Amino acid sequence: MNMKKMIRSILIILICFFSNLLKGQFYIPEAPKKIYPVQDYAGILSKKQIEKLNQKLISYSKITSTEILVSIIQDLKGEDPNLLASKWGEKWKIGNIHKNNGIIILLSIHDRKISIQNGYGIEPYLTDFLTMKIIKKIKPILKNHFYYKAIDSGTQEIFQILKKKYKKKQSKKIFSIWNLFTHISSIFFIILLFYLFLMKKTTDVPLFNTLLITNFLLKNKKYDHDENFDGFGGGGNFGGGGGSGNW
């Protein structure tokens, strides 16, 4: 009887031991060839929402060189959210290698936890106090499961705090065949209208509308976040503070 109790005790100890080993075993995925700002591993955002956030954060990175990565996971698997977020930023090399201005926003849906961790270059501006202020502000939104709104609001708060902290990057104008085609089509359209006005001819309405719409679409071409975007990742170092909280 004593032997059975001893064996049972040993088994319980072994189970607890291996259970603890399994904890904290969240494996950060390998960085994709092209890193986009939003990585939704929990599948809580729609494609349209991801697209909007990607466009917003890519545009911001092009202006400021500050890279904000949003990682959404289902479960922390026992990991500390702050440590995991910092490790993620280090592994994927988020931020500019010279400015260390990367930011990681980590959300764990099952654990209902959020962490915002900053690169060293962000630390003087986005302090621990301000980071916690952002988290506190978006907590009620997260509680209501409005994840897109929370991320959008949180990133907007970061934009405001970091306003004018980094100079705009001097971007070179890239001459492309599309730009040439757009300019030529616009000139052609103006000449055609001028010709019709001088000749006082009646223009076929469907044709006129088609030309008008075509010109409008060319001038207002939807922003393509893939254009001139090589992906995040340059080598920013993390450990510049941050904060976390439950919702």
Side-chain angles (χ1 to χ4, degrees):
M1 189 70 178
N2 290 334
M3 182 62 71
K4 285 183 178 180
K5 284 184 178 180
M6 188 181 294
I7 292 171
R8 187 180 294 176
S9 298
I10 292 171
L11 286 173
I12 291 171
I13 291 169
L14 288 172
I15 290 169
C16 290
F17 175 75
F18 284 109
S19 295
N20 288 329
L21 281 179
L22 290 172
K23 284 185 178 181
Q25 291 296 310
F26 183 95
Y27 293 100
I28 298 169
E30 294 299 320
K33 290 182 180 179
K34 194 171 186 179
I35 302 174
Y36 283 94
V38 180
Q39 303 291 322
D40 183 13
Y41 295 96
I44 61 166
L45 300 177
S46 67
K47 288 183 179 180
K48 189 175 181 180
Q49 289 173 338
I50 292 173
E51 179 75 14
K52 284 183 178 180
L53 289 172
N54 275 335
Q55 288 184 10
K56 174 182 176 179
L57 297 177
I58 288 171
S59 296
Y60 183 70
S61 71
K62 285 183 177 181
I63 295 170
T64 65
S65 80
T66 300
E67 296 180 355
I68 302 175
L69 181 77
V70 180
S71 295
I72 308 171
I73 60 175
Q74 193 64 44
D75 197 318
L76 286 165
K77 298 188 183 299
E79 288 275 12
D80 177 82
N82 294 330
L83 185 60
L84 181 60
S86 293
K87 283 182 179 178
W88 205 312
E90 290 277 354
K91 184 173 181 178
W92 284 25
K93 303 183 186 299
I94 301 302
N96 183 284
I97 192 169
H98 302 295
K99 298 178 181 178
N100 293 316
N101 55 343
I103 300 172
I104 304 293
I105 301 176
L106 176 70
L107 282 85
S108 178
I109 305 305
H110 176 74
D111 303 285
R112 300 172 70 88
K113 289 184 179 180
I114 179 174
S115 175
I116 300 176
Q117 296 300 306
N118 310 316
Y120 285 111
I122 296 294
E123 186 176 13
Y125 314 116
L126 188 56
T127 62
D128 294 357
F129 173 77
L130 290 173
T131 302
M132 290 305 298
K133 194 174 179 181
I134 293 172
I135 292 173
K136 186 178 180 181
K137 189 171 183 178
I138 64 175
K139 267 185 181 182
I141 308 174
L142 289 168
K143 281 182 179 179
N144 290 319
H145 309 293
F146 297 135
Y147 301 112
Y148 169 77
K149 186 178 179 181
I151 296 167
D152 187 52
S153 176
T155 51
Q156 200 62 42
E157 290 291 324
I158 292 173
F159 291 175
Q160 289 300 317
I161 292 170
L162 298 181
K163 194 175 181 181
K164 297 179 181 179
K165 302 302 181 187
Y166 289 99
K167 292 181 180 179
K168 290 185 179 181
K169 293 192 294 183
Q170 296 296 325
S171 57
K172 295 180 180 179
K173 289 186 178 180
I174 299 173
F175 185 79
S176 64
I177 295 174
W178 178 266
N179 290 333
L180 177 63
F181 178 72
T182 302
H183 291 309
I184 291 174
S185 65
S186 297
I187 294 169
F188 173 77
F189 186 73
I190 292 170
I191 293 173
L192 179 61
L193 286 179
F194 186 67
Y195 173 77
L196 292 173
F197 176 75
L198 290 177
M199 298 301 293
K200 295 183 180 180
K201 288 185 176 181
T202 305
T203 307
D204 183 77
V205 175
L207 175 60
F208 181 83
N209 288 339
T210 301
L211 289 170
L212 184 63
I213 293 169
T214 302
N215 182 259
F216 177 80
L217 290 174
L218 287 171
K219 278 194 157 189
N220 297 276
K221 184 172 71 77
K222 184 183 177 182
Y223 171 73
D224 181 6
H225 62 252
D226 275 314
E227 188 178 357
N228 307 322
F229 176 64
D230 298 324
F232 279 2
N237 294 319
F238 279 76
S244 62
N246 296 351
W247 72 77

